[in-house]
């Protein structure tokens, strides 16, 4: 497609945005993107969310989240900082932390670090135990659970009211379809852009839920941000039902731009409010004291298992 002119200023454009049916120059693409995130914020988030942590891994999505949301929070005068979860992945965690610090420094923000090692193990240990089949669950699934736990615990212990993550539209589509296919309809409520906190659960937010991964990529490029080039050594690259369903919708979206956004909006605004949650109550984990659907919680069970397996290996 020949390069067009920016819809706003008429200068030579750099970005073709199919779902907006528009070309934008660099400056007006940045403006367009920031406006999109601000609209999500105004619709779903409280005006004053309280002290906020932006979880940044160094990938394109969380880096885009950092810049766009920090701008909104700065304008609102909301105190915010960056959270990096150090999982102890050799050669990857350190590299990622450097990139996160570089971006945060550009915005004058502090980076706070929650370390898995402080709980007696790292993701390297998990990877070894999975490889030797002493733990039978994919590393990435365990890693996701660990990140959610550490994020919440760190935020709670340090007095934050909200944690933001960079889940994007592509993730949202895969998760929505997989929940429908498996019949776990109540899981869809996890996709609310803002989930209020209670007890020791800090409020969580996903401001990029209606934003394609590729939009985030263009945004970080346009603002001259840096993202982690290294790939996590534990990434398997295997396709899952989630990723295959996501790719199918994104390929239809290529022919009908904006279809995925429509699906996400309808899921959040029309489907989720109709879901009646089963009266499952959370209990308090007897080990760590945090709310959980089981006692001990998943993290404490994992921690105990890893410590047992690691010490039996030493004997
Ligand atoms: Fe964790 Fe998997 Fe991501 Fe590596 S690729 S950081 S193991 S979720
Ligand atoms: Zn322009
Ligand atoms: Zn626990």
């Amino acid at each position: 497609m020949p390069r067009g002119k920016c819809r706003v200023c008429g200068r030579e454009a750099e970005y073709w945005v199919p779902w907006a049916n528009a070309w934008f120059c660099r400056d007006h693409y940045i403006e367009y993107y920031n406006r999109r995130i601000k609209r999500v914020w105004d619709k779903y988030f409280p005006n004053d969310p309280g002290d906020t942590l932006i979880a940044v891994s160094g990938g394109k999505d969380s880096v885009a989240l950092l810049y766009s949301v920090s701008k909104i929070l700065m304008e609102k005068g909301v105190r915010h900082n960056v959270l990096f979860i150090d999982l102890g992945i050799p050669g990857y965690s350190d590299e990622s932390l450097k990139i996160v610090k570089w971006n945060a420094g550009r915005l004058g923000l502090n980076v706070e670090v929650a370390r898995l090692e402080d709980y007696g193990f790292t993701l390297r240990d998990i990877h070894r135990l999975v490889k030797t089949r002493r733990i039978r669950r994919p590393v990435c699934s365990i890693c996701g659970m660990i990140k959610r736990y550490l994020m919440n615990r760190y935020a709670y212990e340090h007095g934050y009211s909200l944690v933001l993550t960079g889940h994007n539209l592509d993730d949202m589509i895969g998760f929505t379809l997989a929940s429908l296919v498996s019949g776990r309809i109540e899981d869809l409520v996890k996709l609310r852009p803002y989930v209020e906190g209670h007890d020791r659960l800090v409020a969580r937010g996903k401001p990029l839920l209606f934003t394609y991964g590729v939009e985030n990529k263009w945004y970080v490029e346009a603002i001259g941000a840096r993202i982690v080039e290294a790939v996590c050594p534990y990434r398997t690259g295997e396709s899952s039902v989630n990723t295959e369903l996501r790719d199918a919708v994104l390929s239809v979206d290529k022919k009908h731009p904006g279809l995925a956004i429509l699906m996400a909006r309808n899921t959040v605004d029309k489907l989720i409010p109709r879901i009646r949650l089963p009266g499952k109550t959370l209990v308090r984990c007897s080990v760590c004291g945090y709310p959980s659907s089981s006692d001990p919680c998943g993290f404490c069970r994992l921690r105990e298992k890893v410590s047992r397996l690691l010490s039996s290996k030493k004997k």
Side-chain angles (χ1 to χ4, degrees), residues 27-298:
D27 291 349
H28 287 118
Y29 175 71
I30 296 172
E31 204 178 275
Y32 162 81
Y33 180 96
N34 284 331
R35 214 174 32 242
R36 253 163 83 59
I37 306 303
K38 176 78 171 38
R39 240 184 262 143
V40 173
W41 190 278
D42 290 343
K43 183 166 177 185
Y44 298 102
F45 287 73
N47 192 38
D48 182 5
D51 291 358
T52 298
L53 264 181
I54 308 173
V56 185
S57 65
K60 67 177 191 331
D61 301 310
S62 62
V63 169
L65 171 79
L66 168 63
Y67 284 86
S68 56
V69 153
S70 173
K71 185 174 165 7
I72 297 172
L73 296 176
M74 216 117 56
E75 283 164 8
K76 289 184 176 292
V78 173
R79 193 176 84 90
H80 57 287
N81 278 316
V82 176
L83 174 66
F84 177 78
I85 311 263
D86 185 345
L87 298 158
I89 303 175
Y92 181 69
S93 294
D94 288 352
E95 189 56 34
S96 305
L97 180 56
K98 266 191 223 151
I99 298 288
V100 173
K101 281 188 174 163
W102 185 88
N103 287 297
R106 234 176 140 204
L107 295 167
L109 297 175
N110 292 328
V111 179
E112 303 189 15
V113 182
R115 288 195 168 77
L116 179 59
E117 203 176 7
D118 293 345
Y119 295 85
F121 64 104
T122 63
L123 212 67
R124 186 186 195 174
D125 299 317
I126 300 283
H127 179 248
R128 280 204 196 119
L129 294 169
V130 170
K131 234 172 104 188
T132 51
R133 300 178 69 80
R134 286 188 293 164
I135 291 183
R136 290 167 183 266
R137 187 174 159 189
V139 181
C140 291
S141 145
I142 301 175
C143 181
M145 183 269 280
I146 292 173
K147 284 190 277 200
R148 284 190 297 276
Y149 181 87
L150 292 186
M151 236 180 263
N152 180 68
R153 184 158 174 173
Y154 186 94
Y156 179 78
E157 286 178 355
H158 293 81
Y160 285 94
S161 309
L162 172 65
V163 187
L164 300 173
T165 56
H167 292 90
N168 66 23
L169 178 60
D170 312 13
D171 304 325
M172 142 70 127
I173 295 299
F175 189 87
T176 304
L177 293 172
S179 304
L180 292 175
V181 169
S182 66
R184 293 192 312 272
I185 310 296
E186 65 276 9
D187 279 1
L188 290 175
V189 301
K190 294 180 189 159
L191 293 176
R192 283 173 293 170
Y194 175 81
V195 180
E196 277 175 19
H198 64 91
D199 190 8
R200 290 183 178 196
L201 292 178
V202 175
R204 280 166 295 140
K206 307 179 195 68
L208 307 191
L209 213 55
F210 304 103
T211 311
Y212 294 91
V214 69
E215 277 184 271
N216 298 335
K217 183 172 156 270
W218 295 337
Y219 181 70
V220 294
E221 215 176 82
I223 59 176
R226 283 174 65 195
I227 58 170
V228 184
E229 301 294 341
V231 177
C232 172
Y234 306 146
R235 182 179 291 268
T236 58
E238 275 169 24
S239 66
S240 62
V241 174
N242 275 29
T243 56
E244 286 181 27
L245 290 169
R246 174 200 69 195
D247 293 347
V249 170
L250 291 178
S251 101
V252 180
D253 188 280
K254 284 213 169 78
K255 275 203 219 150
H256 305 278
L259 179 125
I261 300 178
L262 200 61
M263 185 176 158
R265 279 212 201 111
N266 285 332
T267 303
V268 169
D269 294 337
K270 298 192 176 153
L271 185 56
I272 293 177
R274 287 181 165 79
I275 296 174
R276 281 221 315 242
L277 286 174
K280 214 165 64 176
T281 46
L282 292 179
V283 293
R284 225 172 238 272
C285 169
S286 52
V287 182
C288 68
Y290 280 80
S292 161
S293 52
S294 63
D295 181 25
C297 72

